Amino acid sequence: MFPPIRTALLLLIATVPAFAQQAASSVAGPTETAVATTEIKPPTIADPALVQPPSEGIGDLLMARGRYLAAIHVYEQLTPTAPILNKLGMACEHMLMFERARQSFDGALKLNPKYAEAYNNMGTLAHSQGDLSRAEKMYKKSLKLKPSSANTMQNLGALYYAEHKYKKGDAAYKEALAIDPQILEHSAHTGIQTNTKADAASELHYHMAMTYAQAGSRAMALDYLRKAIGEGFNDRNRLLHDKEFADLRTTDVFLKMVDDLKKN
């Protein structure tokens, strides 16, 4: 005979496997049936600003989708750190709310005087308003703090092109491409890229084609040549004599471009 306590323990141990098996059966059965008979549908994507608490990530998502007013609404509800104020300024600049953008960039720099991205964005703001001297000053301040910023270097190059300082513009674009070979193909999340005026667009794209050709990227060079020609570039003589296109002159595509200019 076992003592009463030991007998109780043995009975308990003996019943655990049976209980566990029954519990597992009762839980697994309906679940497996539900999976087999219920159609799984993708979740509905709603406006994240309406269904989630405001956060920097939500603001960034809205910015990426071009929802700048919604992004402003989100950033305004967050603690005003230098990065948040910088992003708020970017959203305001995209919406042409220039004074509000300037105040936001100023606020970011007061919190962090060495915040390179805010100086870059102050530069794009001045550039868009026609103050090229201040824009250059801001770009150079940004590059002094962060020399490896391809985005800011590209903006400086665009500024030089706007001033018809093509050699300086070429040098700046070459440096931007050396830092990031894909800089012209994607948007930087930490800054704003300046837009070129329509009357200078063909010249800008022609020089970008020269830069890519010299870097050995034939496909990109030809792509920007097409853009330049589409925007009005028609100087056949330059195409035939600029040394940067020496290698391209052996390709049928380039020669056809030259021939089409001649016909036009």
Side-chain angles (χ1 to χ4, degrees):
M1 294 292 293
F2 293 115
I5 295 177
R6 187 178 178 187
T7 301
L9 287 173
L10 288 172
L11 288 172
L12 177 61
I13 293 171
T15 58
V16 167
F19 174 80
Q21 185 176 1
Q22 181 181 2
S25 176
S26 64
V27 172
T31 303
E32 291 170 358
T33 303
V35 171
T37 59
T38 303
E39 181 183 358
I40 300 176
K41 298 180 180 180
T44 302
I45 300 176
D47 188 333
L50 299 177
V51 299
Q52 297 185 38
S55 68
E56 184 175 359
I58 294 299
D60 295 348
L61 177 62
L62 291 167
M63 284 279 283
R65 292 179 177 178
R67 300 284 306 282
Y68 302 121
L69 283 175
I72 290 170
H73 177 69
V74 171
Y75 291 137
E76 284 176 334
Q77 299 179 66
L78 305 179
T79 302
T81 63
I84 294 298
L85 289 176
N86 181 58
K87 291 177 180 181
L88 174 60
M90 290 169 62
C92 290
E93 186 172 350
H94 278 296
M95 293 303 299
L96 307 183
M97 300 161 63
F98 294 140
E99 181 57 26
R100 184 107 180 266
R102 185 193 62 75
Q103 292 173 358
S104 297
F105 296 142
D106 277 340
L109 290 170
K110 285 179 181 177
L111 291 174
N112 183 359
K114 294 185 178 182
Y115 197 45
E117 287 79 2
Y119 280 115
N120 171 63
N121 292 332
M122 288 286 274
T124 66
L125 182 61
H127 194 163
S128 65
Q129 294 181 301
D131 191 346
L132 301 187
S133 177
R134 176 171 171 76
E136 182 176 0
K137 182 179 178 181
M138 293 296 104
Y139 292 148
K140 288 184 174 179
K141 276 191 174 184
S142 179
L143 288 168
K144 187 175 181 180
L145 292 166
K146 192 176 180 181
S148 62
S149 174
N151 183 55
T152 305
M153 188 61 71
Q154 179 196 3
N155 285 339
L156 182 60
L159 172 72
Y160 287 140
Y161 283 140
E163 295 177 323
H164 304 291
K165 298 176 181 177
Y166 295 118
K167 287 186 178 179
K168 283 188 173 183
D170 290 344
Y173 265 89
K174 286 175 185 175
E175 193 162 346
L177 287 168
I179 297 169
D180 179 3
Q182 302 301 316
I183 182 60
L184 301 179
E185 305 311 308
H186 59 73
S187 300
H189 297 291
T190 56
I192 301 172
Q193 295 179 340
T194 55
N195 294 320
T196 306
K197 293 182 179 179
D199 58 356
S202 65
E203 193 67 29
L204 167 61
H205 287 140
Y206 182 79
H207 280 266
M208 289 164 69
M210 293 171 66
T211 299
Y212 271 114
Q214 200 166 31
S217 180
R218 288 187 174 188
M220 293 301 298
L222 290 169
D223 187 41
Y224 278 101
L225 273 179
R226 291 188 190 94
K227 290 181 181 180
I229 292 169
E231 288 154 353
F233 180 86
N234 59 3
D235 193 335
R236 183 170 175 270
N237 187 59
R238 287 172 67 184
L239 276 175
L240 290 172
H241 293 94
D242 281 338
K243 65 181 185 299
E244 289 81 2
F245 298 128
D247 289 340
L248 281 179
R249 291 189 191 106
T250 63
T251 67
D252 293 338
V253 177
F254 182 87
L255 293 174
K256 187 177 186 307
M257 285 184 181
V258 174
D259 191 49
D260 288 343
L261 279 181
K262 183 179 179 180
K263 292 176 182 177
N264 295 331

